[in-house]
Amino acid sequence: MERVYAPKRIEEKWCKYWVENKTFSAKSSNNKPFTVVIPPPNITGCLHMGHALNNTLQDVIIRFKKLQGYNTLWVPGIDHGGIATQNVVERLLKKKEGKTKHDLGRERFLQRMSEWRIETGDVILDQLKKLGCGLDWDRVAFTMDKSRSKAVKRAFIQLFNKGLIYKGKRLVNWCYRCGTALSDTEIEYEHERSNLWYLKYYLVNPKEYVVVATTRPETIFGDTALAVNPEDKRYTSLVGKSVKIPIIDKEIKVISDSIIDKSFGTGVVKITPAHDATDNEIAKRNKLEILEIIDTNGKMINVPSKYQELIVEEARKKVVEDLSVKDFLVKVDDHTHSVGKCYRCSTKIELLISEQWFLNVRDMSKKAVEAVNSEKIFFYPQSWKKPYILWLENLKDWCISRQIWWGHRIPVYYCVDENGNRTKCRPIASFDKPIECHDCKSKNFIQDEDVLDTWFSSALWPISVFNWGKEENNKELKYFYPTSVLVTGHEILYLWVARMVQFGIEFMKEIPYYNVFIHGIIRDKHGKKMSKSLGNVVDPLNVMDQYGTDALRFTLAKAAAPGRDMQISNTSFLASRNFMNKIWNASRFVIVNLEHIDKLDNAIQPIELSDKWIIAEFTNSTAKIKRAYEFYNIDNAAREIYDFFWTKYCNWYVELSKIRITSTNLNIKKQVLAILVYILKSMLQLMSPIIPFITSEIWQILNKNEKIIAESILFAISENFYSESSIKEMNTIQDIIIKIRTLRSELNIPSTMQIKVLFNTLDNNDKIEGTIIENKHYIKQLARVKSMQYLKNIAKLRNFVSIIAGNIEVFIPLEGFIGIEKEKIRLEKEIALTNQEVEKVTLKLSNKNFIKKAPKTEIEKTKIRLHEMKLKIERINKNLKSLI
RNA sequence: AGGCAGUUAGCUCAGCUGGAAGAGCAUUUCUCUUACAAAGAAAAGGUCGCAGGUUCAAAUCCUGCACUGCCUACCA
């Protein structure tokens, strides 16, 4: 074994092993299942920190459950990624050949996309393998492969025939760069500094005008009314009158609607029903005309020829200019408001009227709310429950059609006549082209041009991965569904999580998962979101290269408190890398010492105090670690592992074990080795979910011909040797060691100098005295003490340095390495410090209410403390006097 | 505008069923002691955001405020 842990070779070896030996493949059986489906990354994806975190956490859970003996299954897959993917290929096409998708046409463009997909391959899946993910690689699913397509069609047809899917002309979010409608969840809002323009709308009487404040002066041509609040006394007389739109002089009415906020702007609003959601509602309530002035290319239409065909931004400039020239502009204020942008290309979203497919989600939402309200689905952390419910309760129908090419084409067929024109017959939803029209028996059909929102297929993911679309009597689906836990970031709670619940209940009559574990988002060290444009991205692949995959995973696990965002920079991985090295070397110590031992007893026998102590600490820690894993507090599990292994196991137990390891008595050596091995192996198991590579390697060295760690079953921790009192006793010894070490350091006693030590107890406590005598070899070993003797008569003591650790007083003779004056100062300082404490505690105890109301144990504890401190001061004073 | 988080050592964060402030990194000092210098031993560093309240006792519970971040919204 190398002296320094070198991860590369070991990681490659185990990656390959797990895949080739199908370590993580699962079949339905009689054993209890534990199922997780991966949030499928986009095919365009390249592993970033978010993926690394999300998948590490899933892997931790899967590996832990596997150790517990569950039949675990983690299903891998990728998403076709709709708009995002089409954009990537479109950009490539433009760059390489200077062509647009329209130059190629739908068929050829889609062919290009498929080619690109094969070329690019499943890069991200390979990266997940590299990360060590225990996915079942025989089950890789793609949201657009045959089985998943079947599922999408089946779902669509069911919903269509139920009357839940309908076509309607409505105001929708439109990205003119992507050329498609978007759902509300696909819009990202950003604050933008803009202006508020105050415009004059003249009454028919040309001397009077009202002032209207607007952020969108270019849409005046689409105005079909002005509106005021009915309770706004300033404008009562105005309601019902006509005003003229600036520039074009078109007459519109002033109406009243209670939604208008009196305090904003002038309290008068221009109503543009075709391009604003609120205005649209007002128009519906007041039966106003709806006039479209922006088309799907983001250009002006139905406006004076001067502005016709201009894109919105330019039109705004021109209109403002003209308004100003013609004296319609009263003033311009600065105004910051949030603007909706496309989540895939950041183009400003226009609202416009368009015919789209919608899914009525009212009933599904109710059931999805109920499932979480009743805690049938449990959220970790609970704080996400409320936003989830609120969102679902206010959900409008879902716009599911997209005007792009890459995706599941809507399986709706229209009957056409011999000229290819659509007839009035009812459209049919079906898997393939229908044989004949229900209404006119025609055999001519065309398919709907639109594709489905990517998230439609994603919403089916937990059932489609088990081939819900293909098979009717599906054993696997029955066995693995509902899945056990969904692990995800909160950014797709609405986009994805909620919709899976809706669809799961709709199609399976059963929730898709029992638990939802929502982790935070990774930020840089300044708390900023990581993004390429900010240049603050920490690449997980680099980290894996530089620090090792286990170090990456351990860092992520340690930072992953449920629901909390985490800040990460390159230095965050250092501590973890060092910890890996620690594990490696501690194991090396054990392994090297096992070399000439032919056989080790499996049964352990705690003999000494340190044995009993480490077993007690180990028992406590393992319980904590297991509980932490169980409730997705993976950060706590990682912390406990770190603390126990490094501090307790390495720094104390391994160090103390050296006394017996170097013993010439083979039995003594074997006895301590057995405990070292037992704890090491158990810890390796418990660590393996987070850091599978290093633990697999060490496990294999320790258990040459046995099962690999990933396939092992967690050792049962026996309570037989648990000794609570050993912890207290050991703590006493540790305290003495630490105090002597501190003294050595403070007084610059060279480490090579072995010192003589005497000790006494403050209250002549025989038991403690016995404990120390029994374990003085620990003190000798770790504090570099030559001899340690009990001192009966302290009265005669002269010129000793003294320290007090709990109830024990330790004396070290002054042997020229320290001046009396220096020691006096040290002791006086100690007295002053203790006195401060004494004051505080005395005050507490003199408080009558404390004595009256505090629990007895607490009072007792405080009294003992005070007593000890007083004793301490007494002794220090005495020692001070003995210094001559 | 509303909702949800967060505010603890220079930095990143634990601790929050209320009873003597913790870790890692960085800093300082010693040490290559036969697993590990990516280490060991030790030191220094904190009115636990601010102001109230409950309590014998508050980093921990309650209220208000401030700042930061996120989510939602019909910001004309």
Side-chain angles (χ1 to χ4, degrees), chain A residues 605-657:
Chain A
Q605 263 192 318
I607 293 171
E608 296 197 359
L609 174 62
S610 64
D611 300 341
K612 292 174 191 157
W613 168 77
I614 195 70
I615 286 169
E617 293 280 12
F618 168 73
T619 310
N620 291 341
S621 283
T622 48
K624 272 189 216 167
I625 294 164
K626 284 182 197 166
R627 203 173 49 229
Y629 276 134
E630 202 67 54
F631 295 103
Y632 312 117
N633 291 317
I634 292 164
D635 58 324
N636 283 342
R639 240 184 295 281
E640 186 62 34
I641 285 168
Y642 187 95
D643 189 51
F644 173 80
F645 192 81
W646 198 319
T647 315
K648 291 176 182 142
Y649 185 74
C650 292
N651 290 359
W652 288 101
Y653 192 68
V654 168
E655 287 308 321
L656 285 176
S657 78

Side-chain angles (χ1 to χ4, degrees), chain A residues 46 60 137 200 227 271 283 288 302 304 330 371 383 708 790 801 840:
Chain A
C46 180
V60 170
W137 296 106
K200 293 178 187 169
I271 305 297
L288 299 177
N302 302 326
V330 180
S383 52
I708 63 166
Y790 180 65
V801 177
K840 256 200 246 170

Side-chain angles (χ1 to χ4, degrees), chain A residues 704-739:
Chain A
K704 282 184 190 72
N705 300 313
E706 285 174 41
K707 271 189 178 171
I708 63 166
I709 198 166
E711 284 171 339
S712 70
I713 297 295
L714 271 184
F715 297 148
I717 308 295
S718 158
E719 297 276 326
N720 290 349
F721 300 120
Y722 188 82
S723 155
E724 185 79 46
S725 64
S726 67
I727 293 180
K728 226 179 191 170
E729 285 174 31
M730 185 68 187
N731 285 347
T732 306
I733 303 290
Q734 287 172 321
D735 197 19
I736 295 170
I737 292 168
I738 289 167
K739 290 250 164 70

Side-chain angles (χ1 to χ4, degrees), chain A residues 397-550:
Chain A
D397 286 357
W398 177 10
C399 173
I400 53 172
S401 46
R402 297 289 177 274
Q403 288 64 50
I404 55 171
W405 293 342
W406 177 245
H408 294 281
R409 194 158 168 185
I410 289 179
V412 169
Y413 295 85
Y414 304 101
C415 174
V416 289
D417 59 24
E418 51 278 10
N419 299 324
N421 294 323
R422 274 171 56 178
T423 64
K424 285 186 177 165
C425 303
R426 288 168 297 167
I428 300 169
S430 82
F431 284 95
D432 301 297
K433 195 180 253 197
I435 296 159
E436 65 171 31
C437 176
H438 300 325
D439 296 328
C440 73
K441 309 294 174 206
S442 153
K443 290 180 170 40
N444 294 328
F445 291 95
I446 51 164
Q447 189 176 356
D448 196 288
E449 291 289 322
D450 292 352
V451 300
L452 283 165
D453 182 359
T454 324
W455 296 100
F456 190 94
S457 53
S458 306
L460 290 167
W461 190 243
I463 60 178
S464 70
V465 294
F466 297 114
N467 301 315
W468 172 75
K470 277 208 310 211
E471 300 158 40
E472 274 306 326
N473 223 337
N474 191 329
K475 268 190 208 156
E476 286 235 310
L477 183 57
K478 225 175 243 170
Y479 178 72
F480 288 115
Y481 187 96
T483 64
S484 307
V485 59
L486 177 81
V487 181
T488 180
H490 51 70
E491 72 276 12
I492 48 177
L493 182 65
Y494 310 128
L495 224 40
W496 190 46
V497 179
R499 284 168 177 164
M500 279 190 283
V501 180
Q502 294 178 318
F503 275 18
I505 297 173
E506 174 71 22
F507 298 114
M508 294 296 295
K509 308 282 174 263
E510 180 60 286
I511 54 168
Y513 27 73
Y514 295 110
N515 297 298
V516 180
F517 171 24
I518 297 168
H519 58 249
I521 289 173
I522 299 196
R523 300 170 182 286
D524 72 359
K525 59 182 168 189
H526 306 294
K528 292 246 160 44
K529 230 176 175 170
M530 284 190 182
S531 75
K532 276 183 199 155
S533 56
L534 284 172
N536 61 352
V537 179
V538 180
D539 182 358
L541 297 163
N542 272 343
V543 174
M544 285 156 75
D545 209 45
Q546 217 177 325
Y547 302 97
T549 305
D550 284 327

